[in-house]
Amino acid sequence: MTSLSVAAAETQPDAAPDQAIPLALAPVNALAADAAIPAADTWRGRQVLITGGLGFIGSTLAIRLAEFGARVTLIDSLIPEYGGNLANIAGYEDRLRINLSDIRDRFSLEALVRGQEVIFNLAGQTSHLDSMRDPHTDLEINCTAQLSLLEICRASNPEARIVFASTRQLYGRPRYLPVDEAHPTQPVDVNGINKLSAELYHQLYAQVHGLSTSVLRLTNTIGPRMRVKDARQTFVGIWIRRLLEGDPIEVWGGQQLRDFNDVEDVVDALLLAGARRDLAPTPFNLGHGERLSLRELAELLIDLHGSGRLQVTPYPTERQRIDIGDYYSCHQRFTAATGWRPRRSLRQTLERTLAFYGSHLPAYR
């Protein structure tokens, strides 16, 4: 399939696996417009734990839940190399309980897990390159700590609903597109291997121990609060920082196709998975029907910003070895099970993100 023109921004994700059709997208806060998304009453007064809660996705989820009236506890280590940032919850500090601890600390987890009704398990080491340079730390965070969390739940809170955020990276280099859940898993880096192992632990503990778990495989997630100081979390973040600071966007290769989800759409999916105990513990892809090349993405960012330049360079050898080439997901299985579909176009997401960092960049450098 050829890439969609960047001008075709108002699209609906895969009505069929290889087709995108027009969609009038709802505003970010118009949650009641989509009957599939759990209403605020679903979460009011509920005890919710978010690991990695000061990170990009975790903080966005925490703010939504706080607005819904949930009693939310956040766990985050605030290790500088990872995504946690207290600025992510500015204005909500008095509505969230924050525990600065590491998911690898079993003793802290045991106390924090007790009494929680829903656990969103988002903590993780996200850098693919770091996982190759320091595989043991990636193993500790993305695999061993995940097993510890499940063991603690089995022993002290077996009724909790657990939603695990996994990654599309575990598919490796696609054999066909769009990638669905039947695609073989063949990770190209340590991060993908450990995330796949963590997925299997979540499925095993559901099947053998009766825990209520759900696994979402995320594609490229972008939006306000993402890490922009480097490319450890997403290359789009460092692109936006460079654009706003007047530096050129460095595009490696540029022809690779990608799809992107707005973080608010990902939060919608997490809330659905958290509210639906009937969902099977087998993994569900997220994704979007808009696909474009990395060069087209850089050109769209420059156009939306009104200025800027890009430099296309060869892929660094170290990163080329673990690059997966073209990738975009088919999310029809999750849509069929829950009614979820992304409601924000890439253009809307980039406009909102540029505006956010135009006002808040100093807190994220």
Side-chain angles (χ1 to χ4, degrees), residues 105-257:
D105 181 355
R106 183 184 177 96
F107 297 104
S108 294
L109 274 181
E110 286 177 347
L112 293 166
V113 161
R114 293 191 194 101
Q116 302 295 340
E117 297 174 74
V118 182
I119 300 171
F120 291 101
N121 188 12
L122 311 184
Q125 193 293 112
T126 61
S127 170
H128 304 294
L129 191 57
D130 283 359
S131 79
M132 301 299 290
R133 293 172 173 170
D134 184 6
H136 290 98
T137 296
D138 195 273
L139 175 69
E140 292 168 2
I141 297 172
N142 287 332
C143 192
T144 306
Q146 309 304 320
L147 179 58
S148 293
L149 175 62
L150 291 165
E151 265 294 285
I152 291 167
C153 288
R154 181 182 69 82
S156 62
N157 192 358
E159 299 304 315
R161 173 69 173 156
I162 306 166
V163 181
F164 176 62
S166 187
T167 174
R168 50 109 173 137
Q169 187 75 5
L170 51 78
Y171 288 116
R173 297 180 178 92
R175 301 182 187 182
Y176 57 83
L177 293 166
V179 173
D180 58 20
E181 293 86 353
H183 190 286
T185 52
Q186 191 169 3
V188 297
D189 57 31
V190 169
N191 179 270
I193 291 172
N194 290 330
K195 294 293 276 191
L196 177 58
S197 297
E199 274 194 12
L200 294 172
Y201 285 139
H202 282 76
Q203 293 175 57
L204 179 71
Y205 272 65
Q207 294 159 1
V208 175
H209 297 305
L211 296 189
S212 176
T213 69
S214 186
V215 174
L216 299 183
R217 289 177 177 169
L218 278 53
T219 188
N220 298 283
T221 304
I222 59 175
R225 303 182 187 88
M226 66 183 171
R227 185 181 177 98
V228 299
K229 64 174 59 177
D230 53 39
R232 277 191 165 93
Q233 189 174 80
T234 168
F235 65 90
V236 180
I238 191 65
W239 282 12
I240 286 177
R241 176 184 171 182
R242 292 182 66 84
L243 186 64
L244 292 175
E245 292 180 340
D247 296 322
I249 295 174
E250 187 175 299
V251 182
W252 299 333
Q255 301 307 308
Q256 308 95 310
L257 298 177

Side-chain angles (χ1 to χ4, degrees), residues 102 133 194 257 280 315 326 346:
D102 196 306
R133 293 172 173 170
N194 290 330
L257 298 177
Y315 233 103
D326 293 347
L346 178 59

